[in-house]
Amino acid sequence: MSILKLFEYPDPILTQKSLPVEKFDNELKRFLADMLETMYTDHGVGLAAPQVGVLKRIIVIDAFQQDDEEGNLKKGQPMFLVNPEIIYRSEEMILFCEGCLSIPEQRAEVERHQKIKVRYFDENGKEYLIEATDYLAVVLQHEIDHLDGILYIDHLSRLKRNMLLKKLQKLREQKNNI
Ligand code: NI
């Protein structure tokens, strides 16, 4: 397994639409394992293929991982979702504070559907349907958005988005000055 390079805002790859996976082969399995390792290394709860420079409809998530008292990562329930598709969205919405590995050290509240149903394939091409609510639903909507070139900051008002991007810019300048 290897750690993949993360692409950060404003890399144009993050705004492109990803294509469906057609082959469920060993190459896909290897890529999924690498994505998962990259996600854990960067302490993310989810990662979408475009974030590592691959325009394919693939996401990995582990919404229930935890850090123990010594700060070591305890894996929760890793999931591979290939060609995920949201087939139901509740009218009820929830607000949740989101972050993204491609927009380092920033967070903002985003409105999402409280409940969704997602059809997807696992690494072997087996089809599944899951119903997700609350936090898991938020993580899934965030990651599936990446496959359509949408970032969580695209859901913010222009004012909030600009403020967040200014903070990101400042942070990067500070890092460059060290
Ligand atoms: Ni993200």
Side-chain angles (χ1 to χ4, degrees):
M1 283 190 285
S2 46
I3 309 287
L4 307 167
K5 177 186 180 266
L6 259 181
F7 288 67
E8 291 186 359
Y9 179 90
D11 195 292
I13 197 153
L14 296 171
T15 62
Q16 287 177 50
K17 225 174 142 75
S18 293
L19 295 170
V21 170
E22 281 166 9
K23 266 197 239 161
F24 293 82
D25 53 11
N26 284 334
E27 201 184 319
L28 175 70
K29 289 196 181 93
R30 217 165 20 238
F31 179 62
L32 283 164
D34 288 347
M35 274 183 74
L36 194 68
E37 203 187 357
T38 305
M39 183 191 84
Y40 283 134
T41 303
D42 290 309
H43 294 263
V45 293
L47 186 69
Q51 294 181 276
V52 291
V54 176
L55 288 171
K56 294 255 180 78
R57 303 191 77 82
I58 299 169
I59 63 176
V60 299
I61 65 166
D62 186 347
F64 303 107
Q65 59 182 288
Q66 285 176 340
D67 285 336
D68 66 15
E69 298 90 61
E70 282 115 52
N72 298 314
L73 183 81
K74 254 177 67 191
K75 290 177 186 177
Q77 244 182 349
M79 281 175 78
F80 298 140
L81 293 93
V82 180
N83 299 341
E85 194 188 340
I86 300 176
I87 57 164
Y88 165 82
R89 294 169 173 87
S90 67
E91 268 177 44
E92 194 191 333
M93 308 294 282
I94 43 168
L95 266 181
F96 205 88
C97 199
E98 297 184 24
C100 180
L101 293 178
S102 294
I103 308 170
E105 294 177 51
Q106 308 303 316
R107 301 189 80 77
E109 270 195 337
V110 179
E111 198 179 42
R112 302 277 188 187
H113 299 278
Q114 185 266 336
K115 182 166 145 188
I116 57 169
K117 286 181 188 164
V118 180
R119 185 166 54 210
Y120 68 97
F121 298 85
D122 71 3
E123 66 273 32
N124 298 309
K126 191 175 170 209
E127 191 177 328
Y128 290 88
L129 186 69
I130 49 160
E131 191 178 281
T133 55
D134 301 315
Y135 182 54
L136 183 61
V138 168
V139 173
L140 282 166
Q141 287 169 86
H142 176 117
E143 298 309 331
I144 292 170
D145 261 359
H146 273 297
L147 306 180
D148 292 314
I150 299 165
L151 300 172
Y152 79 89
I153 55 170
D154 298 330
H155 293 290
L156 304 176
S157 69
R158 205 159 74 178
L159 182 72
K160 277 192 183 156
R161 184 191 153 102
N162 287 344
M163 271 166 46
L164 187 147
L165 291 175
K166 256 188 211 147
K167 278 200 281 176
L168 179 68
Q169 177 75 18
K170 251 197 198 142
L171 182 89
R172 282 176 172 157
E173 281 165 14
Q174 281 167 0
K175 278 193 175 159
N176 288 339
N177 286 337
I178 291 167

